[in-house]
Amino acid sequence: MEKDEQEPTMSEPTKTKYDRQLRIWGEVGQAALENASICLLNCGPTGSEALKNLVLGGIGSITVVDGSKVEIGDLGNNFMVDKKSVGESKAKTVCAFLQELNDAVRANFVEENPDSLILTDPSFFSQFTLVIATQLVEDSMVKLDRICREANVMLVFARSYGLTGLVRISVKEHTIIDSKPDHFLDDLRLNNPWPELKRFVETIDLKTPDPIAYKHIPYVVILVKMADEWAKTHSSNLPSTREEKREFKDLVKSKMVSMDEDNYKEAVEATFKVFAPRGISKEIQEIIDDRYAEVGSNSSAFWVMVAALKEFVSNEGDGEAPLEGSMPDMTSSTEHYINLQKIYHTKAEDDCLSMEQRVKDILAKVGRDPSSISKQTIKSFCKNARKLKVCRYRMIEDEFSNPSVTELQKCLASQDYSSAIGFYILLRAVDRFAATYNKFPGQFDGGDIEEDASRLRTIAPSVINEMGCDGYELPEELCNEMCRFGAAELHVVAAFIGGIASQEVIKLITKQFVPMLGTFVFNGIDHNSQSLTL
Amino acid sequence: MADLDSPPQSKTRDLDKLLLRAGNLVGPDFYPGAELRDDIRDYVRILVVGAGGLGCELLKDLALSGFRNLDVIDMDRIEVTNLNRQFLFRLEDVGKPKAEVAAKRVMERVSGVEIVPHFSRIEDKELDFYNDFNIIALGLDSIEARRYINGVACGFLEYDEDDTPRRETIKPMVDGGTEGFKGHARVIVPGVTPCFECTIWLFPPQVKFPLCTLAETPRNAAHCIEYAHLIKWHEVHGGKSFDPDEPEHMKWVYDEAIKRAELFGIPGCGEKHNTAIASTNAIISAACALETLKIVSGCSKTLANYLTYNGGEGLHTKVTEFERDQDCLVCGPGILIELDTSITLQKFIDMLEEHPKLLLSKASVKHGKDSLYMQAPPVLEEMHRPNLSKPLYDLMGRVQKDTVHVFGTALKNEEKHSSLTKLRVVFKGADGVTDMDTAIGA
C-alpha cells in the first residue's frame, strides 16, 4: 500500500545546494531520496564510490558493512581511506569520510564480513529501503537475493574485476508512473479529435480573407479540419499509405499563400501527428492486460489505477487513455491559443475526474478506503498514462540455472556481444575457482598465472553447461586477461561501475526515469559494454 | 587474503596487475614492468582542464591511477550549487578558487601526488604551458572552451613530407561532457582520430542543446542520406544531391533535426538544461581517466573513439568510430597558402582577413617558437612592429615551406570569436618549386 506523497519543505541553503538535481527529479524525488536508507556491503572503491554519489545527492541514511581493515594497497585505489587509517576498520573510515561529504546524511557502519552476515543474520536486511551489494561472489549473491526478495527490499549488485565488472538490479517488480522519456509525442489527438475540439475547430474558417487572421490560425485547427475533409472523401479513414501521406502533406502545403505563414509551415511539419495510430500503445495495452491489473485487496496503488485505466479505455476513453492536457507552443493568435488551451485542459480534467471515480469504486470493491489514493497521485497517473512502465527482474538463481535461450542465442551469435557474454561467464567461473582454490586466478604474484589460466579454462565449462550452451568456447585471450586482472579492484573501473550503480539506485528510489534491465557487463578494454537480459 | 609474512604490500596493489603483467588485448607499445609504473608516476604529466563536476572526479581518478604529476586549471570560484557533485568542496569553501581547493583536497588524501592549481582562464596561458603535458584531460562545459584547447593541442602537431603526423608532436586529449543522465567520453589523438573541429558538425553552433544528445547522429553516409530523405532534403534542395561531407549540408540536416525535436513539443525540454548530478560525472570522468591510463601505458586497447552514454531510459552505452576530416583546418596539415617571397608580413596579415576559409582579423603570427607579430600587449606590439615591413620569407628563415600559426578574431556565422589556426606556407619562386595544391596566394 502506498503512502500519500506530501509536499516536503526544505530549508533555503539545502534547496540551492540541490538545485541542479532538483531540476531533474523535483522536490518529490528529492524527498524520496531523503527518506531512503541504504545498506552497502563491502566498502572497497566500488561500494564507496557508489555511496559517495548518493550521499552527495542527499540520501537519508547509509549503513556500511565491511569486516576488513584498511591495508596499504587500499591507499592506491580508495579515495575514502588515507595513510592515517591503515590498520583501522575500513567501514568506519569510509563512513567518516562520507559523513564529511554531507552532514545531513545519517551514516552508520557495521564491522562484519558481509558473507557471514548473510548467513548468520538475514533479518538484518529487512530494515533497509535498498541494499547495494558490491564484490560478492556467486554464492553470496544467490543467498542475499533470496533474503531481499522475501523481505521486499530492493537490491542492486555491483562488481569490479580488473577491466570488467557488472551491475544488476534484483527487484520483484518496479512500477513507474513518472518515467520521463526523452522523446514522447504530445497528446494533441489530431488523429482522433473529441467533440469539443471538433466544435471549436468548426467555428474557425480556414478560408478567411484576412491575411493576418489566416496566418494566425494554429496548426492544430488546420490539421484537424483538413484531416476531417480527407476522411470525408476517403471512407472515414486517415492517410495511411506512403502515397496518401505525401498527398495529404502536399494538400496542407498547397494552402500556403505566402512565405511568412509560420502556422502553415508548422502544420506541414506536424502532419505526421495526423498519421500516428489512434488509441493506446502496445506497451500500455500489455500493462492493462497484465494479471496484476486484476486487483485484489493487496494490490498496490499503481495496479489499482491501471485497473481504472483499463475500464476508462474501454468506456468513456473510447480506446484512448486520459488526455495529457498540455499543448506545445505554436504560431497562433493569443485568443485562439488560449481557447485551445482551455479545451485541452478541460478534457484532461474531465478524464481525470472519471479516473478518480473509477479508482474510488475499485478501492471500495476490494474492501479498501476509497480515499487512500490521493487526487494528486491519480492526476499524475493520468498525465503519464501513456508512459507507464513496469520492470520485473528474475531472481539471480533463476537466471543462473535457467537463462533465456533466445537471449543467449542472440549473444552467442553476435560479434558485438562476444566479450560481454565471455566476461559474464568468466565472472562466475572465477568465483568457482575461488571456491576450489581459496583464491582468485592470478590473484597473487609469484603464483603460476599460466597454471591458474589453465585451471580456469577447465572450470569455465561447468558454468557454460549449466547455462545450457554446451560447446561454447571461451575466447582464450579473454580467459588470459581475466587471470591477468587477478581480481584487481581498479579505482577508475570501480568509479564507473559505482557510478552506474548509484544512478540506478536513484531511479529506483525516486521512481522516476527507467532503471536498466538485465545485467550490465562492463568492458573497459574497448568500452563495448552490453546489457544481457538472461 | 594477503599473507602476513610476505613483503610489504605495494600501494599500487591493484594497478600493478595491469601495469606489471603482460596482456593479450593491449596497446601496440606495451612494456609491462615496474619501470613502466614508476615512469608513469615520476615523469608523466597530465593537465586537467576544469575543476568542476568532471574535473574533481578526474583529479581523484587520475591520482588513483598511478599519476603523480597533475595540473588543474579553472577560472571559477566555488558556488553553493556545485556542492551536490563537486565533492572536493565544502560549504566553507564557497567563494574560493576551484582549482586551488581541488588540488589541495586531493593532495591531502592521496599522499605523494603533486597537483599544481592554476586559477586562470585557459586563454591566458602561454601555448608552451600546454606543451609540457603528455595528455590533456578536459572536463569542460562549453563548446568554445573545447574548441580552444583542441586548437592549441592540434597546433603542436607537425607533419612529415608525406603528410604523416610526426609522433613526438602528437598531444592526445580525452574529453568528457555530461548533462543530466547523459554523457560522452572521447579520445582525440591529433592527426590520427578526429579532433574536436573535425566533428564540429555534431554540435550546431547557435542552439544551446545538450552536447551529448547530438552524438547519436550516425557517421556513415548511408544513414545520413536516409535521414536527409526523411526530412525531404530533395524538396528543399532541388536537384542537389545530399553530401554528408559538405558541412553546409550537414548543418541543414542538423537544423531540421532540431526543429523537429522542438515541434515534438517535448514537455519540460527547457528544464533539462543545466542539470547535473554526481553519478553521471563520475561515470564519464572514470571513462576518461581509464583512457588516459591506457593511452599513456598501453596496458590495454583504447576507446575508438567516441563513447556516448544515456542513463535516463534504461542504460545505453555506444561506441562510434568517427573518422578524421582530412582537410580539417585544425588537425590537418594546415591550409595551404602560397606566397611570393616578396610578400611583407603586413601584406600577409591583410590577406588573412580576406581569405575565405579564414576571415581572420587582427592576426598575430607565430612561426614555431618565434612570434613574428603580436597585436597585444602594447609593449610587445611595438617591439614586433618593425617586422611588418619585412618579407615574411626572410622572417621565416628563408625556408621554402613551413608551418605558421595565426591567432586573431575570426568571423563565423556572423559571430566573432578567438581563433587559432595552422597554415602551411609555401613560397613560390624559392628554389623554383611550385606546389600542386590549389591555394589563394599573392
Side-chain angles (χ1 to χ4, degrees), chain B residues 33-55:
Chain B
E35 204 178 313
L36 173 63
R37 174 197 61 199
D38 297 345
D39 282 350
I40 290 175
R41 180 192 63 209
D42 297 334
Y43 301 118
V44 174
R45 294 189 63 194
I46 312 283
L47 173 66
V48 174
V49 184
L54 288 166

Side-chain angles (χ1 to χ4, degrees), chain B residues 349 353 360-365 373-376 407-409 416:
Chain B
I349 289 174
E353 199 153 351
L360 194 72
S361 56
K362 293 204 171 38
S364 299
V365 182
Y373 180 69
M374 294 178 74
Q375 299 273 352
F407 182 83
T409 311
K416 287 191 183 159

Side-chain angles (χ1 to χ4, degrees), chain A residues 21 49 52 71 73-74 79 182 186 253 269 442-443 445 481 484 489 491 503 507 514 524-525, chain B residues 9 13-14 17-18 21 24 57 60 84 109 182 235 263-264 294 299 301 309 311-314:
Chain A
Q21 67 196 39
E49 290 293 313
K52 157 184 138 275
E71 293 177 1
D74 295 331
F79 195 72
D182 252 345
D186 45 42
K253 224 185 276 180
E269 289 298 326
Q443 185 171 6
D445 292 322
E481 278 300 280
R484 178 183 174 218
E489 204 177 342
H491 182 82
Q503 165 196 276
K507 290 191 277 183
V514 184
I525 298 174
Chain B
Q9 212 180 51
R13 169 196 65 200
D14 298 84
K17 302 217 162 83
L18 270 196
R21 296 178 174 185
N24 292 79
E57 297 279 348
K60 160 184 69 78
N84 77 326
R109 300 207 64 85
K182 296 202 183 100
E235 286 178 11
L263 250 181
F264 246 50
K294 290 195 275 177
C299 69
K301 294 182 164 186
Y309 167 85
E313 269 175 88

Side-chain angles (χ1 to χ4, degrees), chain A residues 4 10 13 15 32 51 72 114 164-165 172 175 246 314 361 395:
Chain A
D4 224 29
M10 272 189 243
K15 197 162 184 164
L51 225 46
I72 294 179
T164 185
K172 184 166 179 199
T175 59
R246 202 181 305 141
S314 332
D361 292 342
M395 287 190 71

Side-chain angles (χ1 to χ4, degrees), chain B residues 48-285:
Chain B
V48 174
V49 184
L54 288 166
C56 285
E57 297 279 348
L58 276 168
L59 285 171
K60 160 184 69 78
D61 293 341
L62 292 167
L64 290 174
S65 297
F67 296 102
R68 284 288 179 261
N69 300 297
L70 307 172
D71 282 55
V72 60
I73 177 169
D74 193 306
M75 65 179 183
D76 286 334
R77 292 180 183 274
I78 298 164
E79 291 169 26
V80 170
T81 51
N82 299 149
L83 301 178
N84 77 326
R85 63 206 180 279
Q86 299 173 25
F87 65 98
L88 297 173
F89 311 142
R90 308 278 175 267
L91 195 55
E92 55 268 21
D93 296 322
V94 172
K96 296 186 196 156
K98 288 188 177 183
E100 290 170 16
V101 178
K104 178 163 159 266
R105 283 283 147 65
V106 177
M107 286 194 284
E108 272 167 16
R109 300 207 64 85
V110 183
S111 68
V113 73
E114 289 287 320
I115 309 182
V116 179
H118 303 267
F119 174 42
S120 88
R121 303 179 67 233
I122 53 181
E123 295 91 343
D124 293 342
K125 289 293 191 188
E126 294 275 306
L127 293 182
D128 283 342
F129 166 76
Y130 293 100
N131 212 2
D132 279 343
F133 301 99
N134 298 79
I135 310 251
I136 302 177
L138 310 183
L140 295 164
D141 59 2
S142 79
I143 295 176
E144 283 316 308
R146 282 184 174 89
R147 250 182 148 160
Y148 182 80
I149 299 281
N150 183 70
V152 168
C154 293
F156 298 128
L157 182 65
E158 284 169 31
Y159 283 83
D160 275 336
E161 297 281 305
D162 50 359
D163 280 356
T164 23
R166 260 191 232 140
R167 235 179 129 197
E168 63 280 8
T169 64
I170 296 178
K171 190 156 306 285
M173 290 168 277
V174 291
D175 169 59
T178 65
E179 176 139 359
F181 282 110
K182 296 202 183 100
H184 82 267
R186 70 190 294 189
V187 169
I188 298 178
V189 182
V192 178
T193 70
C195 76
F196 191 72
E197 208 71 28
C198 290
T199 48
I200 196 68
W201 52 266
L202 282 170
F203 312 103
Q206 288 97 345
V207 181
K208 189 180 190 305
F209 217 73
L211 234 59
C212 348
T213 331
L214 305 174
E216 264 144 86
T217 303
R219 62 132 199 130
N220 81 54
H223 272 126
C224 290
I225 289 168
E226 194 188 333
Y227 189 49
H229 278 155
L230 237 112
I231 47 184
K232 303 294 169 89
W233 164 270
H234 292 288
E235 286 178 11
V236 178
H237 292 85
K240 246 192 281 175
S241 52
F242 175 74
D243 180 9
D245 290 330
E246 239 305 309
E248 299 303 309
H249 292 198
M250 286 309 297
K251 182 173 188 309
W252 186 87
V253 168
Y254 248 90
D255 289 345
E256 290 308 302
I258 285 160
K259 271 192 245 160
R260 174 162 285 246
E262 282 171 350
L263 250 181
F264 246 50
I266 301 161
C269 181
E271 284 145 34
K272 286 211 193 116
H273 289 191
N274 209 1
T275 52
I277 44 179
S279 47
T280 318
N281 282 332
I283 293 164
I284 295 298
S285 305

Side-chain angles (χ1 to χ4, degrees), chain A residues 490-503:
Chain A
L490 297 166
H491 182 82
V492 282
V493 175
F496 190 98
I497 300 269
I500 298 215
S502 63
Q503 165 196 276

